[in-house]
């Protein structure tokens, strides 16, 4: 059914049953309005009840301080006159309420988000709700702690906490929000709810207006809906003993590249009826000709033959599939994609794709990225990082950036159209895989956001889940209430990430290097114990710029311990020129442009021993004359000794700097230009939460 606004009496009954009290009652005649006013006790407020007039006070459809029966009749006529003047098609009468004393006006609202299901929000209410846009959403059934955290993200929460005045009854507001979230979960036919304003006092609250929109109920998948059978099918894809490449061909074709890239798989079968042998392997004309049913089928033929071959693969007992073929719904053929979905459901087989790069799995050797080896750069070692990407191009960039920084990637999954497996299912599988210690996800959209939040919460309790989200800037379409206009799906997505403990990277540069730098810091550095930073520079103003950025991102420039200053003063004594060398032993620490290898390495050893320092950030101009060509090698040796993160920023763009950086990466010592400081902040946040040394798993 089309969404429709419930009349006030229905809305009050629904809310009352949920334990949310609403002031007043509606009247449908003038005499009934007078009677209702007498029941409430003068003075009263009278306002139009009509789904066609949202901002009633703006058009004069609210009358306050109605003093007696005659005043009530005049108010009735005024409100009805306004309804006629503005052309309201549906008029449910007039709401009659006792006048309430002034207080702080807040909004409590909710809507059924098309992706995340029930989303409840709290924030500044009243007439200025759209102007201030000061709301915080929460997904699903909320508890008190979650609502209080939501309030802390709003300016309204500061007022409630007592900003320049007495503290208000936060518990009363939290109770209303919790009850409303439970109501939205229990009644999926409730599309939207506006409780605006809720008048909040030092003790208690009064709800003076409520709107409920009813519509067609929609069920949203939950974490428990992910079946063990589907996860087992995914496990076959990621741990195959045998695989068949349907469409294998000569080198240079998509099927040929996949065959060559996957040669590490234990038993690999090329399928091509026009070939007898490929890459030294016997070639088979079809699935039925294989000597065994392969665990995984990789399909790289046109769409219609893919549908037929996938059906034979499933009928023969294949366990999981990767469909790199295109030509499905993305090309205007949803019928072919629906055929894949039907076959997969009938046989209980999960497939990745279609229209995707598929899987790069460093553990098993399965690699369906149809990229010639000499044209791409892939990680040289397996490790604890798992990547899920909705974009093949972004996934490829992340993989090549990781390879350029010599990061250990265990698995990348490019999902393409994602009709055969969901992001939550892939996340659940990586969450259960002990070889994966960090999960990174590039998302553009979700079909089942509530399930994603629940799965992410379970996984993030054990290991970091880091998300970058494409398409964050789009505005939500206007809907039928204040709440609808304020709670688009990205607001819900952000709230879901906060509730699940997911690290959402919002402040991104144009490329995914931000995420790669976060991963690099986590898997190459010892964990930081805090946020006190020592900044070191070799030449130039790099330390000043770094210090400015660090303090603006919540880091503290540490004050060195006395013993540290003494050691640094002795190291830098030759630069004092008659001054007290302790003046040079300060943070940021300038080693000067004539620094040599010994001065650089010894200063870092001193800072590593400083009890007040948690992180060391170094800006180095390797171009200065007294740093030798062996300085990089000595830094690599030093890195292995360090007990603290040593974050190196190589400055300048000369070929020598680039060559030095490449050598250091090969030696396991990454360096960074930009972005550096914000990724470091994210990494420190993760270290603080998990208390884990991710670098130990990457060695």
């Amino acid at each position: 059914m089309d969404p429709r606004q419930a009349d006030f009496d229905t809305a009050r009954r629904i809310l009352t049953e949920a334990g949310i009290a609403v002031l007043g009652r509606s009247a449908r005649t003038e005499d009934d309005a007078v009677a209702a006013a007498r029941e409430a006790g003068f003075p009263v407020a009278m306002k139009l009840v009509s789904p066609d007039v949202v901002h009633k006070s703006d058009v004069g459809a609210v009358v306050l301080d109605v003093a007696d029966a005659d005043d009530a009749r005049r108010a009735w006529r005024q409100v009805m006159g306004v309804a006629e003047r503005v052309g309201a098609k549906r008029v449910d009468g007039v709401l009659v309420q006792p006048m309430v004393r002034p207080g702080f006006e807040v909004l409590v609202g909710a809507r059924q988000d098309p992706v995340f299901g029930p989303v409840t929000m709290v924030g500044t209410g009243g007439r200025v709700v759209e102007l201030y846009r000061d709301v915080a959403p929460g997904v699903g059934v909320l508890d008190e702690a979650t609502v209080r955290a939501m309030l802390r993200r709003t300016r309204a929460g500061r007022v409630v906490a007592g900003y320049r005045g007495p503290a208000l009854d936060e518990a009363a507001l939290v109770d209303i929000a919790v009850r409303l979230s439970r109501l939205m979960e229990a009644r999926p036919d409730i599309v939207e709810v506006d409780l605006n304003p809720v008048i909040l006092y030092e003790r208690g609250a009064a709800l003076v207006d409520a709107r409920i929109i009813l519509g067609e109920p929609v069920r949203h998948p939950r974490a428990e809906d992910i079946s063990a059978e589907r996860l087992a099918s995914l496990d076959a894809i990621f741990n195959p003993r045998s695989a068949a490449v349907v469409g294998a061909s000569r080198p240079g074709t998509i099927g040929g590249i996949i065959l060559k890239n996957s040669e590490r798989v234990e038993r690999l079968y090329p399928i091509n009826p026009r070939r007898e042998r490929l890459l030294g392997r016997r070639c088979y004309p079809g699935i039925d000709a294989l000597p065994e049913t392969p665990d995984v089928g990789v399909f790289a033929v046109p769409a219609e033959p893919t549908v037929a071959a996938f059906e034979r693969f499933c009928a023969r007992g294949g366990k999981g599939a990767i469909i790199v073929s295109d030509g499905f719904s993305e090309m205007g053929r949803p019928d072919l994609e629906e055929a894949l979905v039907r076959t997969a459901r009938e046989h209980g087989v999960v497939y990745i794709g279609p229209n995707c790069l598929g899987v790069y799995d460093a553990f098993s050797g399965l690699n369906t990225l149809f990229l010639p080896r000499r044209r791409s750069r892939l990680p040289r070692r397996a490790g604890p990082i798992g990547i899920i990407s909705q974009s093949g191009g972004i996934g490829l960039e992340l993989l090549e950036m990781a390879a350029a920084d010599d990061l250990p990637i265990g698995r990348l999954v490019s999902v393409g159209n994602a009709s055969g497996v969901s992001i939550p299912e892939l996340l659940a599988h990586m969450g259960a895989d002990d070889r994966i210690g960090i999960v990174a996800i590039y998302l553009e959209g979700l079909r089942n956001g509530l399930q994603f939040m629940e799965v992410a919460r379970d996984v993030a309790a054990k290991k970091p889940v880091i998300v970058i989200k494409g398409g964050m800037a789009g505005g939500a379409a206007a809907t039928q209430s204040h709440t609808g206009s304020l709670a688009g799906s990205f607001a819900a997505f952000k709230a879901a990430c906060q509730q699940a403990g997911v690290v959402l990277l919002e402040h991104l540069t144009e490329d995914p290097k931000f995420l790669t730098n976060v991963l690099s810091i986590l898997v190459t550095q010892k964990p930081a114990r805090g946020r006190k930073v020592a900044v070191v520079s070799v030449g130039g103003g790099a330390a000043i710029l770094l210090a400015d950025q660090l303090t603006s991102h919540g880091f503290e420039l540490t004050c060195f311990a006395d013993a540290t200053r003494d050691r640094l003063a002795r190291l830098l004594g030759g630069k004092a020129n008659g001054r007290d060398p302790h003046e040079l032993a300060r943070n940021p620490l300038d080693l000067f442009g004539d620094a040599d290898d010994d001065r650089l390495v010894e200063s870092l050893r001193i800072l590593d021993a400083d009890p007040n320092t948690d992180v060391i950030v170094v800006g180095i101009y390797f171009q200065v004359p007294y740093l030798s060509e062996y300085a990089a090698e000595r830094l690599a040796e030093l890195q292995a000794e360090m007990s603290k993160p040593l974050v190196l920023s190589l400055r300048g763009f000369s070929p020598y700097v680039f060559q030095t950086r490449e050598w250091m990466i090969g030696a396991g010592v990454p360096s960074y230009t930009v972005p550096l400081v914000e990724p470091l902040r994210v990494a420190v946040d993760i270290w603080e939460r998990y208390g884990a040394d991710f670098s130990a798993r990457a060695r």
Side-chain angles (χ1 to χ4, degrees):
M1 64 178 176
D2 293 331
R4 60 179 179 83
Q5 182 173 323
D7 61 60
F8 179 79
D9 291 333
T10 300
R12 183 173 66 171
R13 174 181 53 79
I14 291 172
L15 292 169
T16 300
E17 290 174 356
I20 302 172
V22 186
L23 290 177
R25 72 173 180 86
S26 64
R28 294 184 177 273
T29 68
E30 183 177 321
D31 289 340
D32 191 23
V34 173
R38 287 196 175 105
E39 290 172 16
F42 293 106
V44 297
M46 296 174 63
K47 59 187 73 174
L48 178 67
V49 180
S50 170
D52 302 319
V53 183
V54 176
H55 303 288
K56 296 180 283 292
S57 58
D58 289 354
V59 297
V62 178
V63 182
L64 304 177
D65 294 311
V66 177
D68 53 32
D70 290 339
D71 218 5
R73 292 186 186 280
R74 284 192 294 270
W76 169 273
R77 293 166 190 160
Q78 175 182 329
V79 170
M80 289 296 115
V82 169
E84 183 177 357
R85 175 166 52 83
V86 300
K89 296 178 180 178
R90 173 182 154 191
V91 176
D92 294 333
V94 170
L95 173 60
V96 181
Q97 298 173 311
M99 285 293 297
V100 296
R101 56 192 173 89
F104 182 57
E105 296 185 346
V106 295
L107 163 74
V108 183
R111 73 188 293 260
Q112 297 289 352
D113 187 271
V115 174
F116 287 91
V119 176
T120 304
M121 62 179 51
V122 294
T124 301
R127 298 177 62 180
V128 296
V129 59
E130 286 95 353
L131 176 63
Y132 288 168
R133 302 186 70 84
D134 176 40
V135 294
V139 176
V141 175
L142 308 178
D143 56 24
E144 290 186 11
T146 301
V147 177
R148 292 182 193 275
M150 290 160 55
L151 271 173
R152 287 194 293 272
R153 296 197 295 271
T154 67
R155 290 188 291 275
R158 295 178 64 192
V159 176
V160 173
Y163 176 76
R164 301 193 71 176
L168 305 178
D169 195 340
E170 183 180 85
L173 178 58
V174 169
D175 181 68
I176 293 172
V178 168
R179 290 179 183 275
L180 183 57
S181 73
R182 292 173 182 164
L183 173 64
M184 297 297 289
E185 170 80 5
R187 290 284 303 269
D189 61 317
I190 298 177
V191 178
E192 295 174 9
V193 177
D194 265 344
L195 309 181
N196 182 38
V198 176
I199 311 296
L200 197 61
Y201 305 108
E202 291 180 53
R203 296 197 62 178
L207 173 55
V208 298
D209 203 357
R211 298 176 68 249
I212 291 181
I213 308 295
L214 300 173
E216 195 70 34
V218 177
R219 182 185 179 277
H220 292 267
R222 309 296 293 267
E224 60 264 25
D225 295 326
I226 297 178
S227 69
E229 291 76 16
R230 289 181 63 81
L231 291 179
S233 182
L234 267 178
D235 197 61
I237 294 174
F238 297 131
N239 295 287
R241 293 167 299 174
S242 57
V245 180
V246 180
S249 188
R250 59 178 174 77
T253 64
I254 289 177
I257 295 168
I258 292 172
L259 183 69
K260 185 174 183 62
N261 286 349
S262 298
E263 286 182 315
R264 280 181 49 208
V265 175
E266 185 178 342
R267 298 191 297 280
L268 186 63
Y269 300 108
I271 294 181
N272 187 328
R274 294 186 295 275
R275 298 273 183 168
E276 292 187 1
R277 298 190 71 80
L278 282 169
L279 298 180
R281 299 174 185 271
R282 178 184 172 185
C283 206
Y284 297 85
I287 295 285
D288 292 326
L290 294 176
E292 64 173 321
T293 301
D295 291 339
V296 177
V298 181
F299 296 83
V301 291
E304 292 191 12
T306 290
V307 172
F310 178 62
E311 186 173 351
R312 289 304 311 142
F313 171 79
C314 293
R316 190 169 172 184
K319 296 176 181 178
I322 302 167
I323 301 176
V324 301
S325 314
D326 60 9
F328 293 88
S329 58
E330 84 286 351
M331 297 292 287
R333 292 300 305 272
D335 56 315
L336 296 178
E337 194 148 349
E338 288 163 6
L340 292 177
V341 172
R342 285 195 301 271
T343 299
R345 286 176 179 168
E346 179 183 349
H347 295 278
V349 173
V350 164
Y351 65 86
I352 293 169
N355 183 37
C356 68
L357 286 178
V359 171
Y360 166 82
D361 193 294
F363 302 122
S364 70
L366 182 63
N367 176 5
T368 68
L369 309 186
F370 43 89
L371 307 167
R373 290 179 184 176
R374 68 183 183 86
R375 293 189 182 182
S376 62
R377 184 176 184 181
L378 299 180
R380 66 181 179 87
R381 56 198 177 109
I385 299 173
I387 300 173
I388 302 169
S389 178
Q390 282 187 310
S391 162
I394 295 296
L396 174 62
E397 284 187 68
L398 288 170
L399 203 59
E400 290 187 341
M401 287 176 179
D405 287 348
D406 195 29
L407 301 186
I409 303 296
R411 181 177 301 136
L412 166 86
V413 184
S414 160
V415 298
N417 294 3
S419 59
V421 67
S422 69
I423 298 291
E425 288 173 321
L426 290 168
L427 178 56
H429 189 276
M430 286 197 185
D433 190 335
D434 291 337
R435 296 170 297 180
I436 301 295
I438 304 171
V439 183
I441 307 175
Y442 172 75
L443 278 177
E444 292 175 352
L446 285 169
R447 295 190 182 97
N448 38 6
L450 186 59
Q451 186 181 66
F452 171 80
M453 183 186 80
E454 292 177 342
V455 171
R457 183 169 54 209
D458 292 341
V459 175
K462 301 175 291 185
K463 60 187 72 171
V465 178
I466 307 172
V467 172
I468 55 176
K469 174 76 166 64
M472 293 191 297
T479 54
Q480 290 180 288
S481 70
H482 294 310
T483 304
S485 68
L486 294 170
S489 283
F490 178 66
F493 178 79
K494 185 175 178 180
C497 289
Q498 288 166 331
Q499 289 172 236
V502 166
V503 179
L504 175 61
L505 305 184
E506 293 185 78
H507 308 293
L508 295 176
T509 56
E510 290 180 352
D511 62 40
K513 186 62 176 172
F514 187 106
L515 173 59
T516 310
N517 283 357
V518 173
L519 298 173
S520 175
I521 293 169
L522 287 174
V523 301
T524 63
Q525 302 290 337
K526 302 287 177 51
R529 296 187 293 269
R531 295 174 182 269
K532 294 181 179 180
V533 182
V535 180
V536 181
S537 71
V538 177
I544 304 301
L545 294 175
L546 287 168
D548 287 344
Q549 286 296 306
L550 286 159
T551 53
S552 70
H553 283 80
F555 290 99
E556 177 185 347
L557 293 183
T558 190
C559 293
F560 300 140
D562 290 343
T564 302
R565 295 192 68 205
D566 290 342
R567 293 180 67 189
L568 290 172
R570 287 194 295 272
L571 179 69
L572 299 173
K575 305 297 295 182
N577 293 325
R579 294 177 294 164
D580 182 353
H582 286 81
E583 294 180 20
L584 305 178
R586 60 191 178 192
N587 195 11
L589 179 67
D590 187 357
L591 299 180
F592 302 100
D594 64 350
D596 59 11
D597 300 2
D598 291 336
R599 188 187 300 169
L600 171 61
V601 171
E602 183 59 22
S603 69
L604 299 180
R605 283 201 176 102
I606 292 170
L607 294 178
D608 191 48
D610 179 52
N612 297 345
T613 296
D614 301 313
V615 181
I616 304 168
V617 177
V618 189
I620 305 179
Y621 292 88
F622 269 114
Q623 304 92 323
V624 299
Y626 296 112
L627 286 180
S628 78
E629 294 185 1
Y630 299 100
E633 188 172 336
R634 292 189 63 181
L635 285 172
E637 294 171 353
L638 178 66
Q639 177 99 4
E641 304 172 11
M642 298 288 288
S643 63
K644 298 170 182 175
L646 176 61
V647 181
L648 303 176
S649 176
L650 272 55
R651 317 298 289 198
F653 293 88
S654 70
Y656 178 68
V657 172
F658 291 146
Q659 293 164 7
T660 302
R661 182 178 188 276
E662 284 292 315
W663 185 90
M664 293 177 73
I665 288 171
V669 184
S671 60
Y672 310 90
T673 51
V674 290
L676 184 158
V677 175
E678 180 70 1
L680 177 60
R681 182 199 61 77
V682 174
V684 172
D685 288 345
I686 291 172
W687 279 323
E688 284 184 350
R689 177 178 177 187
Y690 292 93
D693 183 356
F694 301 102
S695 69
R697 302 185 60 177
R699 295 184 195 119

